[in-house]
Amino acid sequence: MQTLANWDGGPGPWILFFPLIWAAVVIGVATVLRRTVWRGRRGPWRAMADPRPTGDAPIAVLGRRFASGEIDEDEYWRRLSVLDEQFGPTAKGGAA
């Protein structure tokens, strides 16, 4: 009776290591791709995981417009109260 441990007529027990080596290669390639190529766009699942549109938060945009002088203080507080109703209260009087 021939067994895998018999070195006379077969490949021996090393034949069991070839599937393990291929699995290690596949896992290694996937790991390298995940850490390098996919990192820039945060993986192929980004579109499904984050349905929000990209861009700045509305309160941050409002703060920048106020700081640059596009809107005055009264307009800032009026718009901030509307945003507070929609997005929830902001921390420390509107500072985002």
Side-chain angles (χ1 to χ4, degrees):
M1 178 172 177
Q2 292 282 357
T3 63
L4 287 175
N6 187 0
W7 287 85
D8 293 335
W14 299 106
I15 192 72
L16 298 175
F17 289 110
F18 287 117
L20 295 175
I21 291 171
W22 279 111
V25 167
V26 169
I27 290 171
V29 167
T31 302
V32 167
L33 285 174
R34 190 169 181 209
R35 290 180 179 257
T36 58
V37 176
W38 292 339
R39 178 172 285 206
R41 55 185 181 160
R42 300 179 68 193
W45 52 88
R46 177 174 161 43
M48 293 185 304
D50 192 9
R52 295 178 297 168
T54 58
D56 293 333
I59 295 175
V61 172
L62 181 64
R64 273 198 303 277
R65 289 186 64 197
F66 176 63
S68 68
E70 290 181 42
I71 57 175
D72 62 353
E73 186 177 359
D74 293 332
E75 181 73 11
Y76 172 79
W77 288 112
R78 186 177 64 77
R79 290 183 183 209
L80 184 63
S81 67
V82 172
L83 290 174
D84 280 345
E85 290 174 8
Q86 185 176 1
F87 295 105
T90 58
K92 296 185 182 179

